[in-house]
């Protein structure tokens, strides 16, 4: 039966829609994947840290659980301030001696409402201890988060160094392979001995081993970043982080320590923990308890002394508990003194760690200068070698390309060392590691330019790659 023009148009429209949808499915998937790989290739260190914070919660879930437990303990301490309602139902069989009572069973029920009035500071001490424990748990969560972020940042720079090192090792392996093939050709022509061929083959396999090891390391680094960010790292990272362009400001470590002592999360966590133990210790003891109560009762038997309801107040005084409270007080006092000792040790270590972080940051800046100078030299030598190759004055580029790729990885490694040192310094100051990636973050934190007061001899330094002490023309 022939179809009408309308039905034919509908069928054609349906076919066109299906084809369009199929093409969208076919092309959108690869396009989205390409976009994701492009985003990975240009991912900055700060953007990486944001991804880890958004998706790496599993890595510091234990510290987050400790914080939840601390909140629960605060709720438990506060519960002693609220009324308590207790219901009781009791049934029993009995034999009465009085002949007037004929019942041989009884069911009693009662309802009691108790409102604590005053316990001589015991509940208040527990509440204050719980609040201090919450603050300590919050600082520990921050420490755990910063530890994971620092690991992710180190893996990120290691991966970029590994990418460039793989290029260098691959080029070295290709060069060795070419030399081995040439040795084979010369051997067939009687121009080389078997020892030379064997030596070149050994170099081929050695360079292959080094390349395979770096490739495996590269895969491990990618897997760790996938765990931390929740994103696949399958694309080639071609946009390496750039080294810093400005020399770090000289820092007065005494001012830095005074600032860090009030903000360092480990110091704050230990201080809050000691504070909590102090409150717990002070709240331990045999103290009276005053409370108001109201009761309502009902029974199936008649009692002359039974009240239908009652209200009143009572004071409970614990006279002797066998030394239980005294032992608890002694235990808490010992824990308090232990935490205070740990606090003092950590406070002294903080001064040393700050000094080391500042020195490492300064040294890594010089490492950046040295790596950039070496890369400049290797780039110029490669350009010269390329000109000679184009003029057919040399047969190949030699090791110039290999060493230039190695120089690129050295620059990224130096930049990673500098930024990791800066991020570590930010963490010691109680900041997120991403804060250390910003230029002049110390001035931003302190609201002033911190100049060093150390009067010591500083030797001349500089290579023309960032130093401001080059010889100047006399005026």
């Amino acid at each position: 039966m022939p179809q009408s023009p309308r039905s034919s148009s509908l069928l054609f429209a349906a076919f066109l829609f299906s084809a369009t949808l199929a093409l969208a499915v076919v092309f959108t998937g690869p396009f989205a994947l390409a976009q994701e790989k492009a985003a990975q290739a240009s991912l900055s260190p700060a953007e990486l840290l944001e991804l880890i914070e958004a998706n790496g919660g599993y890595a510091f879930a234990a510290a987050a659980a400790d914080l939840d437990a601390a909140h629960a303990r605060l709720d438990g301490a506060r519960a002693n301030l609220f009324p308590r309602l207790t219901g009781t139902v009791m049934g029993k069989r009995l034999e009465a001696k009085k002949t007037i009572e004929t019942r041989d069973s009884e069911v009693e029920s009662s309802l009691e409402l108790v409102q604590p009035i005053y316990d001589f500071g015991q509940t208040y001490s527990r509440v204050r201890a719980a609040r201090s424990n919450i603050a300590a748990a919050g600082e520990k969560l921050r420490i755990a988060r910063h530890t994971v972020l620092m690991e992710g940042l180190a893996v990120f720079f290691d991966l970029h160094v590994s990418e460039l090192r793989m290029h260098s090792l691959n080029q070295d392996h290709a060069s060795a392979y070419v030399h081995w093939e040439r040795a084979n050709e010369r051997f067939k022509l009687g121009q080389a001995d078997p020892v030379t061929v064997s030596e070149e083959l050994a170099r081929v396999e050695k360079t292959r081993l080094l390349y395979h090891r770096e490739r495996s390391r590269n895969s491990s680094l990618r897997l760790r970043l996938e765990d931390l960010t929740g994103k696949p790292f399958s694309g080639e990272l071609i946009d390496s982080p750039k080294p810093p362009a400005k020399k770090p400001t000289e820092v007065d470590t005494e001012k830095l320590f005074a600032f860090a002592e009030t903000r360092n999360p480990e110091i704050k966590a230990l201080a809050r923990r000691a504070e909590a133990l102090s409150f717990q210790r002070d709240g331990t003891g045999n103290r009276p308890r005053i409370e108001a109560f109201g009761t309502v009762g009902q029974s199936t038997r008649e009692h002359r002394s039974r009240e239908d309801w009652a209200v009143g107040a009572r004071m409970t005084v614990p006279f002797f508990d066998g030394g239980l409270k005294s032992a608890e007080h002694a235990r808490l006092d010992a824990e308090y003194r232990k935490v205070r000792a740990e606090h003092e040790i950590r406070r002294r270590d903080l001064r040393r760690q700050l000094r080391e972080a500042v020195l490492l940051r300064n040294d890594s800046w010089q490492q950046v200068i040295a790596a950039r100078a070496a890369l400049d030299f290797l780039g110029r030598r490669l350009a010269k070698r390329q000109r000679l190759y184009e003029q057919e004055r040399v047969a190949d580029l030699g090791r110039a390309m290999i060493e230039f790729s190695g120089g690129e990885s050295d620059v990224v490694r130096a930049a990673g060392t500098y930024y990791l040192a800066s991020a570590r310094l930010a963490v010691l100051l109680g900041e997120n590691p991403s804060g250390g990636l910003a230029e002049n973050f110390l001035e931003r934190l302190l609201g002033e330019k911190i100049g060093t007061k150390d009067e010591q001899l500083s030797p001349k330094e500089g290579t023309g790659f960032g130093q401001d002490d080059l010889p100047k023309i006399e005026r």
Side-chain angles (χ1 to χ4, degrees):
M1 181 177 180
Q3 294 180 343
S4 65
R6 177 178 176 81
S7 60
S8 300
S9 300
L10 290 175
L11 287 174
F12 178 75
F15 171 76
L16 185 61
F17 175 77
S18 302
T20 304
L21 182 61
L23 289 174
V25 171
V26 170
F27 289 104
T28 302
F31 179 71
L33 182 61
Q35 277 189 324
E36 186 173 2
K37 289 185 177 181
Q40 290 178 5
S42 60
L43 190 67
S44 68
E47 291 170 342
L48 173 83
L49 295 181
E50 291 178 1
L51 281 177
I52 295 176
E53 285 197 281
N55 301 288
Y58 80 95
F60 35 85
D66 288 340
L67 181 59
D68 293 338
H71 279 285
R73 285 192 292 269
L74 176 60
D75 294 338
R78 285 174 174 170
N80 290 325
L81 301 174
F82 300 109
R84 300 189 305 274
L85 183 63
T86 306
T88 304
V89 178
M90 180 183 66
K92 63 182 177 181
R93 293 186 63 84
L94 54 91
E95 181 179 354
K97 293 184 178 180
K98 294 182 180 181
T99 56
I100 191 174
E101 181 59 65
T102 58
R103 291 179 180 272
D104 59 355
S105 64
E106 180 182 10
V107 177
E108 294 183 356
S109 62
S110 64
L111 198 63
E112 183 180 47
L113 179 66
V114 177
Q115 170 62 57
I117 298 177
Y118 188 60
D119 61 0
F120 296 88
Q122 194 168 32
T123 297
Y124 184 59
S125 295
R126 291 174 181 172
V127 170
R128 295 180 69 185
R131 287 173 177 166
S132 296
N133 277 326
I134 287 176
E139 295 298 333
K140 290 181 179 179
L141 175 59
R142 196 148 64 104
I143 293 170
R145 182 181 289 109
H146 289 174
T147 301
V148 174
L149 293 177
M150 287 293 296
E151 180 194 358
L153 194 62
V155 173
F156 177 74
F157 280 105
D158 277 350
L159 181 57
H160 276 280
V161 172
S162 178
E163 288 284 304
L164 294 171
R165 181 166 168 75
M166 281 180 61
H167 286 299
S168 177
L169 292 174
N170 190 31
Q171 292 165 358
D172 195 15
H173 173 64
S175 175
Y177 194 86
V178 170
H179 282 79
W180 173 65
E181 284 189 330
R182 290 177 180 174
N184 263 325
E185 293 173 358
R186 291 197 304 271
F187 174 71
K188 292 176 182 179
L189 296 174
Q191 299 175 356
D193 57 8
V195 176
T196 302
V197 177
S198 178
E199 181 183 8
E200 294 296 339
L201 179 60
R203 182 168 174 264
V204 168
E205 298 305 329
K206 180 180 180 180
T207 55
R208 191 200 307 272
L209 173 62
L210 294 175
Y211 175 75
H212 283 189
R213 284 179 174 173
E214 189 61 37
R215 186 177 62 182
S216 299
R217 179 172 174 269
N218 188 282
S219 298
S220 298
L221 294 172
R222 289 176 179 273
L223 288 174
R224 183 52 180 159
L225 282 181
E226 288 180 8
D227 290 340
L228 293 175
T229 62
K231 303 289 183 181
F233 272 76
S234 55
E236 184 179 5
L237 303 179
I238 57 176
D239 190 7
S240 301
K242 300 299 184 292
K246 185 179 179 182
K247 183 178 180 180
T249 307
E250 294 294 328
V251 178
D252 183 356
T253 53
E254 291 300 324
K255 289 184 179 180
L256 201 62
F257 174 72
F259 180 78
E261 193 174 8
T262 61
R263 294 172 56 92
N264 182 268
E266 293 185 31
I267 295 290
K268 293 174 67 175
L270 288 171
R272 297 292 81 77
R273 177 58 182 158
E275 190 178 70
L277 288 170
S278 174
F279 290 139
Q280 287 178 315
R281 179 196 60 189
D282 296 341
T284 302
N286 294 322
R287 299 183 183 183
R289 183 181 184 87
I290 301 174
E291 55 191 15
F293 67 91
T295 59
V296 177
Q298 185 67 35
S299 174
T300 57
R301 296 181 66 205
E302 294 293 334
H303 292 279
R304 182 173 298 177
S305 59
R306 182 179 63 82
E307 301 92 358
D308 290 335
W309 60 270
V311 295
R314 62 192 174 206
M315 182 173 69
T316 304
V317 182
F319 289 107
F320 183 68
D321 62 358
L324 181 63
K325 294 295 184 181
S326 298
E328 180 72 7
H329 186 279
R331 180 186 67 81
L332 291 171
D333 184 66
E335 289 187 14
Y336 168 77
R337 288 185 281 109
K338 176 184 176 182
V339 174
R340 289 299 302 174
E342 292 176 355
H343 178 271
E344 181 60 24
I345 292 173
R346 183 67 190 91
R347 194 184 71 85
R348 293 175 182 268
D349 285 344
L350 178 61
R351 183 187 298 272
R352 174 182 55 81
Q353 290 180 352
L354 282 170
R355 180 63 177 168
E356 290 176 352
V358 171
L359 292 176
L360 178 59
R361 187 164 172 254
N362 293 337
D363 292 344
S364 60
W365 166 256
Q366 182 57 44
Q367 183 180 350
V368 169
I369 297 299
R372 289 173 59 193
L375 182 63
D376 179 74
F377 159 70
L378 294 172
R380 293 176 185 274
R381 190 175 67 174
L382 175 60
K384 179 181 178 180
R385 186 79 179 184
Q386 287 174 335
R387 288 194 299 270
L388 294 175
Y389 179 77
E390 291 170 357
Q391 297 170 3
E392 298 182 355
R393 297 170 62 182
V394 294
D396 54 33
L397 295 178
R399 297 191 57 82
M401 179 65 75
I402 300 170
E403 293 177 355
F404 179 77
S405 297
E408 288 181 317
S409 67
D410 288 341
V411 171
V412 177
R413 182 182 291 108
T417 303
Y418 178 86
Y419 285 122
L420 283 172
S422 298
R424 174 60 179 163
L425 187 58
V427 168
L428 291 174
L429 296 174
E431 289 288 304
N432 190 287
S434 60
L437 303 178
E439 187 176 320
N440 296 330
F441 77 97
L442 289 179
E443 287 85 343
R444 177 182 58 82
L445 277 180
L446 297 173
E448 60 180 354
K449 188 171 182 179
I450 315 173
T452 179
K453 293 182 178 180
D454 298 336
E455 296 181 0
Q456 55 186 3
L457 177 63
S458 297
K460 298 285 285 183
E461 58 181 9
T463 62
F465 285 85
Q467 307 291 357
D468 191 25
D469 59 355
L470 295 177
K472 295 181 175 60
I473 300 176
E474 296 184 0
R475 297 182 180 178

